[in-house]
Amino acid sequence: MRISLRLLLIASVAACAPMLPEAPPVRPTPAPAPVRPAVPAPTPAPPPANPADQAGFEGWKQGFLARHGGVRRDAYARELAGLTPDPSVIRLDGNQPEFSRPAGAYIQSAVSATRIAQGRQRTDRVPWEVVQRFGVPAEILVSIWGNESSYGAVQGDYDVIRSLATLAFDGRRRDWAEAQLKDALDIVVDGRRDRAGLKGSWAGAMGQTQFMPDNYLRLGVDQSGDGKVDIWGSDADSLASAANLLAQAGWKRGQSWGYEVILPAGFDYAEAEGPRHDWRYWSQRGVTLARGGAPTDAEALEEGVILLPQGARGPAFLALPNHYVIRRYNNSVSYALAIGLTADGIAGKPGLVGTWPDDAPLSRDQRIGAQRALTALGYDTQGIDGVVGANTRAALRRWQIASGRLADGYLTADLADELIRRAG
């Protein structure tokens, strides 16, 4: 791959990136090596910061050091010296594709035939002892690997410390970002990774399986046994670390993440994304598996949720507990479905029965405007941040019920515009 193309790919990586370009075909190698350009590329100078912004950033930095520095204040200050906020991080934070694109567009791009085929070629990269120890199937781990970094090819070239400092300064997720920044600084100060090598996505996710700094410190696994956790250069360390994260989050051995289902005529869509029920409850209401059959005995006892990621017109899913474990990686319905469906494809299962509607994406103004409108109309979205998550969908369902509409909780561009008009 030419250097110019490689740098373009690296620059485009997102925090969790199912939209990444496909990986090259797998080639057996004696040992995985860190991904590096063949020729060192010059680091572009950061864009000049607005003087007022830089003054505010310096003030935030001193506050951060006072809040979190402790006995390491001087060491942290050295790593933060000369840092400026990165405006591209703020822009990307407001436009994450798994929250802004229609679910179908996102999932169809992520669950591609090429990615599935490449995943099948790589299942033998997952050490058998990792599957045995943590109970997470190889296809799930390979799916995460492919969706997060295109099998290690695109890991991100952002300065993790600068990205997290920018997010903390911006303030939308300050407490979270400051905690992650402290952990990133500890990684460097403790000598676990040198500063130049602490690269990742714009949101601070690192390595082949895109771990945040706290997860790296708590859950990173030295599977290769070389005395360090190398999620950048070691397939084994990356996959074992991902398996540990899922296991610690409650992965249920021998169970699926969920199933595509068919909903009967007259189904009460207000039950979607609501209370969890076992399979007996759902089957008594006419819900069937799209490919026939039934969940396993163990899965049938679990409490599942009906998901309508693109409303009543799109495919429906029964989400089992492992779906929510996957969301510990990225709390997005679209992301977790992409991981599960890619894993199903790698395991040789057939694709979806339902088809995705061709809906237009929502702009940030539409998402924020709809949240503001719902809240003004008396249906609190629990925050106005442009992320159409569970709280926003629940508020929308309440409005749909009160308006005598089908309550599928799905926000289209047309519906967002209508809500904005209604709220004035």
Side-chain angles (χ1 to χ4, degrees):
M1 182 180 291
R2 296 192 304 274
I3 296 302
S4 59
L5 176 57
R6 173 148 190 84
L7 292 178
L8 177 62
L9 292 176
I10 290 174
S12 67
V13 71
C16 287
M19 313 312 298
L20 293 174
E22 306 296 349
V26 64
R27 294 185 296 273
T29 55
V35 177
R36 296 187 180 93
V39 178
T43 301
N50 179 292
D53 288 346
Q54 188 60 34
F57 185 75
E58 290 298 323
W60 163 80
K61 188 192 302 183
Q62 294 307 313
F64 169 82
L65 292 171
R67 288 187 293 274
H68 300 286
V71 297
R72 292 191 160 188
R73 178 167 182 157
D74 289 345
Y76 289 176
R78 285 194 297 272
E79 298 300 331
L80 295 173
L83 215 60
T84 60
D86 186 340
S88 69
V89 168
I90 305 302
R91 174 177 54 81
L92 289 165
D93 185 45
N95 198 37
Q96 297 180 58
E98 60 266 49
F99 293 108
S100 59
R101 296 183 67 187
Y106 178 91
I107 291 169
Q108 288 178 99
S109 179
V111 189
S112 68
T114 302
R115 178 159 291 154
I116 288 170
Q118 292 172 341
R120 288 175 182 164
Q121 291 178 300
R122 288 166 169 79
T123 54
D124 62 354
R125 299 280 191 91
V126 182
W128 178 243
E129 57 269 27
V130 168
V131 176
Q132 291 295 96
R133 176 183 174 187
F134 297 108
V136 182
E139 58 266 22
I140 288 286
L141 297 174
V142 171
S143 176
I144 289 173
W145 190 19
N147 278 277
E148 291 289 351
S149 70
S150 205
Y151 305 108
V154 187
Q155 300 182 31
D157 200 30
Y158 281 80
D159 175 353
V160 166
I161 287 175
R162 185 186 184 203
S163 291
L164 291 170
T166 300
L167 291 171
F169 167 58
D170 181 53
R172 185 173 77 83
R173 296 181 287 170
R174 175 161 293 175
D175 291 345
W176 170 83
E178 287 194 351
Q180 295 292 341
L181 175 59
K182 182 180 187 305
D183 287 337
L185 290 165
D186 284 339
I187 290 170
V188 173
V189 173
D190 289 340
R192 297 170 186 262
R193 183 82 172 174
D194 62 75
R195 173 66 182 277
L198 200 69
K199 300 291 186 180
S201 75
W202 62 265
M206 309 179 301
Q208 298 192 45
T209 46
Q210 294 288 276
F211 261 39
M212 294 305 297
D214 65 330
N215 286 332
Y216 175 85
L217 291 174
R218 292 188 305 109
L219 302 170
V221 176
D222 174 21
Q223 182 65 28
S224 62
D226 64 356
K228 60 183 179 180
V229 177
D230 183 9
I231 60 173
W232 295 266
S234 168
D235 296 354
D237 287 7
S238 301
L239 295 165
S241 297
N244 190 28
L245 186 156
L246 296 176
Q248 294 298 322
W251 186 269
K252 292 182 176 289
R253 290 174 181 258
Q255 295 188 22
S256 173
W257 61 271
Y259 294 91
E260 183 188 8
V261 295
I262 302 297
L263 305 179
F267 181 78
D268 182 3
Y269 286 93
E271 285 206 84
E273 210 169 357
R276 303 184 185 194
H277 300 287
D278 62 17
W279 177 241
R280 180 181 179 185
Y281 177 93
W282 294 118
S283 63
Q284 286 177 343
R285 280 151 182 77
V287 177
T288 58
L289 300 191
R291 293 286 179 180
T296 67
D297 290 346
E299 292 167 349
L301 296 175
E302 299 288 354
E303 294 187 330
V305 175
I306 299 297
L307 298 179
L308 303 170
Q310 208 160 336
R313 294 179 298 117
F317 301 89
L318 174 69
L320 295 172
N322 283 340
H323 166 87
Y324 292 93
V325 173
I326 295 170
R327 282 167 67 169
R328 294 293 293 273
Y329 237 100
N330 181 327
N331 192 21
S332 156
V333 173
S334 295
Y335 174 83
L337 287 173
I339 295 299
L341 292 169
T342 301
D344 284 353
I346 291 170
K349 297 179 182 179
L352 296 179
V353 171
T355 56
W356 296 102
D358 185 18
D359 292 332
L362 290 164
S363 70
R364 180 170 174 79
D365 286 345
Q366 285 173 316
R367 287 177 274 135
I368 289 177
Q371 288 177 322
R372 185 175 289 118
L374 283 167
T375 300
L377 292 168
Y379 305 94
D380 191 358
T381 60
Q382 305 297 312
I384 299 171
D385 57 4
V387 176
V388 182
N391 290 331
T392 299
R393 292 190 293 270
L396 178 58
R397 280 193 187 88
R398 295 195 297 273
W399 177 82
Q400 288 171 322
I401 291 169
S403 303
R405 305 186 185 207
L406 188 149
D408 62 359
Y410 179 56
L411 184 66
T412 64
D414 288 343
L415 189 53
D417 291 341
E418 178 184 343
L419 285 165
I420 292 168
R421 289 194 302 271
R422 283 177 177 269

